[in-house]
Amino acid sequence: MERTLSIIKPDAVKKNVIGKIIDRFENNGLRVVSIKKILLSEVIAGNFYAIHKERPFFNDLVRFMTSGSVVVIVLEGENAVKKNRELMGDTDPKKAIKGTIRADFAESIDANAVHGSDSLENAKNEIAFFFSQAEIQ
Ligand code: IDP
Ligand code: MG
């Protein structure tokens, strides 16, 4: 059993497809351990994406992630990290395989519907970034 962090990004929240995206997780062996809808501040979004600070798209990414509410979710299941990444599809929705979340619900690389941890170690850190111990019992 693994845990991973998913974020439903502002574009998908605005499209009213929170339930449809969670359906994909639940239909593919992942379970919601904890979930909350929040508005990220610039500081929180910047810290979360600190790894991308030097990338040319960093400011746009922070602006986008703070442009509306997001839904932060802890998912659990067998191979949850890899499974979630497969369900998400390619970072660029235009390259994502049909049937993946990004292919079906996103339009562009900067507004691409979901975030997902890319390793077990990052998943642990990202879950701890957003959730207290009591929230993920
Ligand atoms: P990932 O979300 O598939 O793991 P990362 O490379 O970790 O992709 O990038 C984090 C986020 O930064 C992406 O989901 C996307 O929103 C944004 N991003 C990545 N590359 C670009 C780009 O070339 N232009 C604009 N935004 C980008
Ligand atoms: Mg990433």
Side-chain angles (χ1 to χ4, degrees), residues 8-104:
I8 302 179
K9 296 185 178 183
D11 58 320
V13 171
K14 282 181 187 139
K15 276 189 188 162
N16 205 23
V17 292
I18 295 170
K20 286 193 172 118
I21 291 174
I22 292 175
D23 240 16
R24 302 283 175 103
F25 301 142
E26 293 182 336
N27 287 332
N28 287 279
L30 297 176
R31 178 173 290 272
V32 173
V33 172
S34 199
I35 182 165
K36 54 189 171 190
K37 190 178 182 196
I38 53 178
L39 183 62
L40 302 181
S41 67
E42 255 179 55
V43 171
I44 301 274
N47 285 343
F48 181 74
Y49 279 116
I51 187 173
H52 295 305
K53 201 143 64 192
E54 305 307 325
R55 309 279 283 274
F57 57 82
F58 178 75
N59 287 338
D60 286 342
L61 177 59
V62 169
R63 201 169 304 125
F64 168 64
M65 289 300 288
T66 57
S67 66
S69 298
V70 299
V71 177
V72 193
I73 308 168
V74 178
L75 294 170
E76 186 175 72
E78 230 168 272
N79 295 315
V81 173
K82 186 162 169 273
K83 171 69 64 66
N84 181 40
R85 293 294 308 194
E86 285 169 3
L87 294 173
M88 289 164 62
D90 195 282
T91 305
D92 183 354
K94 290 185 179 72
K95 293 183 191 152
I97 296 165
K98 202 163 177 286
T100 61
I101 293 168
R102 282 167 165 169
D104 294 352

